[in-house]
Amino acid sequence: MTAPAGFREHPAFLDGAAQRALLTDIRAVVADAPFFRPEMPRTGRPMSVEMTSCGAVGWVSDRTGGYRYQLTHPVIGKPWPRMPDSIVAIWRAVAGDPRLPDACLVNHYAPAAKMGLHRDEDEQDFTAPVVSISLGDDCRFRIGGLERGGPTRSLRLTSGDVVVLGGASRLAYHGVDRIYPGTSTLLRDWFPEGGRINLTLRRAT
Ligand code: SIN
Ligand code: FE2
């Protein structure tokens, strides 16, 4: 299957130095806005990823409130940290949209974490793309079409890769099947067991 139109891959977009600089900025974000573990709506089942955000709004999910964007961190109650320039610069380079992102979700995948197929559909406007940045261990990313249960394709994402879900692919189903532990040393000082960080930049409001 070929991914829907508008899906763009930028392999090795960030070199090693750029990945390390970005990671320094992400660690500062997480120092201000610690990772929390979101819950599935209704069941309250914890997700296997932990997450936080920077930017004007952040994505959260819990049993009673469901998926949503909000202005404050759900645990510490403070506004999200501002989005580092290093992150906005990547959007400017690949998004093809002069408007800037107002939300950057920071996902941390421990070696056994994954993310089921879903669409990013909690934003108010789907004309802007989603820009996704991978750091740390490789993963198997899966992208399908606009219908749940349709054909999908998998690709391996490596630290420094950037993908863009724009155009028709903006509402494509996607997810992360698995992490390949031990494939990168980038996060070694932070998470000795390995894992992956993913940033997804969006215009939510
Ligand atoms: C997401 O869909 O929010 C994350 C995708 C990824 O981790 O690559
Ligand atoms: Fe997503």
Side-chain angles (χ1 to χ4, degrees), residues 51-60 67-69 83 87 91 95 97 99-107 109 115 118-133 141 165 170 174 198-205:
M51 58 179 62
T52 189
S53 286
C54 56
V57 292
W59 189 84
V60 302
Y67 302 144
R68 63 197 186 275
Y69 284 92
M83 204 181 303
I87 296 179
W91 172 281
D97 193 312
R99 300 169 295 174
L100 292 178
D102 57 4
C104 171
L105 179 65
V106 182
N107 286 131
Y109 296 75
M115 189 177 289
H118 66 277
R119 309 199 301 175
D120 290 8
E121 55 188 358
D122 304 315
E123 299 73 29
Q124 282 163 18
D125 176 0
F126 302 128
T127 62
V130 173
V131 171
S132 167
I133 304 160
F141 180 81
L165 283 80
R170 173 63 182 76
H174 61 278
N198 170 260
L199 307 178
T200 44
L201 318 190
R202 310 183 179 118
R203 283 181 57 84
T205 57

Side-chain angles (χ1 to χ4, degrees), residues 42-200:
R42 293 182 299 281
T43 65
R45 221 174 139 229
M47 296 188 187
S48 65
V49 293
E50 49 174 9
M51 58 179 62
T52 189
S53 286
C54 56
V57 292
W59 189 84
V60 302
S61 176
D62 55 33
R63 187 174 63 81
T64 49
Y67 302 144
R68 63 197 186 275
Y69 284 92
Q70 64 180 40
L71 294 165
T72 54
H73 188 288
V75 177
I76 63 171
K78 293 204 296 185
W80 305 99
R82 64 175 283 276
M83 204 181 303
D85 296 338
S86 55
I87 296 179
V88 180
I90 297 168
W91 172 281
R92 288 188 197 275
V94 301
D97 193 312
R99 300 169 295 174
L100 292 178
D102 57 4
C104 171
L105 179 65
V106 182
N107 286 131
H108 169 241
Y109 296 75
K114 52 195 182 203
M115 189 177 289
L117 283 175
H118 66 277
R119 309 199 301 175
D120 290 8
E121 55 188 358
D122 304 315
E123 299 73 29
Q124 282 163 18
D125 176 0
F126 302 128
T127 62
V130 173
V131 171
S132 167
I133 304 160
S134 295
L135 292 173
D137 284 338
D138 293 1
C139 77
R140 187 163 71 219
F141 180 81
R142 186 165 294 281
I143 179 143
L146 307 183
E147 310 288 340
R148 184 180 282 286
T152 63
R153 154 166 103 88
S154 68
L155 53 144
R156 187 163 173 141
L157 294 180
T158 292
S159 195
D161 290 357
V162 174
V163 298
V164 181
L165 283 80
S169 75
R170 173 63 182 76
L171 286 169
Y173 278 89
H174 61 278
V176 172
D177 296 346
R178 61 162 297 186
I179 304 298
Y180 295 98
T183 49
S184 166
T185 56
L186 183 72
L187 306 183
R188 190 172 48 190
D189 300 339
W190 195 9
F191 298 105
E193 73 284 12
R196 172 175 180 261
I197 297 277
N198 170 260
L199 307 178
T200 44

